[in-house]
């Protein structure tokens, strides 16, 4: 979903303290692509609704991560991990996301472990 | 995924985020969009329209900063 559309990820307006719109939101093309996947082929999506969705999903990300980071702060940990995100989702009422995500994370970790143990052979 | 990292860093620049946390946020964000659009399209279909527009996303509450929402939430919890 978050492929870097349109070049490199910016350093928040070159560290000048100015937050640019494209830093605050996910790329509209990526959001539009996900929206299109869900809808029937004959459905059209207005630009306005893509922009609204862009705002909503960015707010959702901030909402979930701030809850997860609060948990880490209380537990005196410096790094947020996947389990914290799952916990935050459950805590904020997104229980139907949390369980499938836990299973997904489990599979992802197994794959990462497998990749670490069996690096691709060169030549 | 760099965009997600950027959004998180805007919220808290000192926060360290593991790779699997980014993966989890990414997946949750996708699920959020999918579920949201599904519900919006249901409203749209009831409206007999083929174009999903802002009005169909109108069940979106007005924007609230995450920390304000959490503050209200914990205040409500204490009040109960």
């Amino acid at each position: 979903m978050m492929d870097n559309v349109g070049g490199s990820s910016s350093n928040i307006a070159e560290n000048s303290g100015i937050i640019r719109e494209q830093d605050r939101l996910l790329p509209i093309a990526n959001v539009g692509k996900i929206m299109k996947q869900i809808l029937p082929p004959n459905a059209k999506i207005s630009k306005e609704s893509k922009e609204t969705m862009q705002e909503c999903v960015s707010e959702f990300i901030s909402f979930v991560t701030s809850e997860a980071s609060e948990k880490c702060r209380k537990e005196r940990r410096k790094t947020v991990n996947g389990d914290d995100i799952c916990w935050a989702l459950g805590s904020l009422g997104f229980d139907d996301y949390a369980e499938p995500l836990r299973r997904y994370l489990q599979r992802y970790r197994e794959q990462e472990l497998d990749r670490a143990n069996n690096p691709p052979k060169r030549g | 995924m760099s965009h997600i990292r950027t959004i998180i860093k805007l919220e808290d620049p000192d926060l360290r985020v593991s790779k699997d946390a980014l993966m989890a946020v990414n997946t949750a964000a996708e699920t959020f969009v999918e579920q949201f659009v599904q519900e919006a399209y249901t409203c749209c279909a009831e409206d007999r329209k083929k174009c999903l527009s802002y009005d169909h996303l109108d069940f979106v509450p007005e924007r609230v900063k995450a920390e304000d929402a959490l503050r209200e939430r914990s205040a409500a919890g204490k009040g109960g």
Side-chain angles (χ1 to χ4, degrees):
Chain A
M1 170 184 172
M2 305 319 144
D3 329 342
N4 206 349
V5 174
S8 64
S9 174
S10 53
N11 282 347
I12 308 175
E14 304 309 317
N15 302 324
S16 62
I18 302 159
I19 298 166
R20 300 187 312 188
E21 194 71 353
Q22 62 261 46
D23 292 318
R24 198 176 60 79
L25 302 171
L26 294 177
I28 198 161
N30 299 29
V31 173
K33 202 184 288 178
I34 297 166
M35 291 173 84
K36 205 172 268 182
Q37 281 168 10
I38 288 299
L39 298 170
N42 65 333
K44 295 183 184 74
I45 309 165
S46 72
K47 184 170 180 276
E48 205 177 10
S49 66
K50 284 181 197 172
E51 286 167 355
T52 304
M53 205 62 248
Q54 240 187 328
E55 291 275 354
C56 288
V57 78
S58 296
E59 202 60 44
F60 171 79
I61 291 166
S62 300
F63 192 44
V64 172
T65 46
S66 69
E67 181 82 344
S69 75
E70 186 62 23
K71 180 178 192 275
C72 289
R73 196 182 59 77
K74 281 178 184 163
E75 293 174 7
R76 291 198 166 84
R77 286 187 289 115
K78 286 194 170 74
T79 308
V80 172
N81 61 39
D83 296 318
D84 297 321
I85 299 297
C86 291
W87 176 88
L89 285 165
S91 161
L92 294 168
F94 294 97
D95 313 68
D96 50 339
Y97 291 26
E99 262 322 298
L101 191 57
R102 273 198 184 91
R103 291 196 293 274
Y104 182 83
L105 263 179
Q106 186 61 41
R107 281 210 311 275
Y108 171 74
R109 282 168 180 161
E110 282 165 8
Q111 280 177 354
E112 286 292 291
L113 206 66
D114 200 41
R115 202 173 294 158
N117 294 338
N118 306 305
K121 292 181 177 71
R122 293 179 180 228
Chain B
M1 251 175 327
S2 58
H3 283 94
I4 285 188
R5 192 186 287 277
T6 307
I7 292 168
I8 293 169
K9 288 286 181 191
L10 286 175
E11 193 75 17
D12 182 353
D14 303 320
L15 189 66
R16 277 153 57 181
V17 190
S18 73
K19 198 178 167 192
D20 70 342
L22 281 177
M23 196 75 191
V25 174
N26 188 5
T27 310
E30 275 195 50
T31 310
F32 174 77
V33 174
E34 286 168 3
Q35 199 170 331
F36 204 125
V37 170
Q38 193 82 65
E39 288 188 34
Y41 188 70
T42 306
C43 301
C44 174
E46 283 166 10
D47 218 4
R48 288 206 167 83
K49 294 236 171 66
K50 276 189 186 164
C51 183
L52 184 62
S53 69
Y54 184 83
D55 294 342
H56 300 118
L57 301 174
D58 218 20
F59 50 87
V60 186
E62 60 179 292
R63 283 193 65 194
V64 180
K65 287 202 79 178
E67 57 263 34
D68 296 338
L70 289 168
R71 205 178 297 119
E72 279 176 32
R73 194 170 177 272
S74 61
K78 283 171 193 155

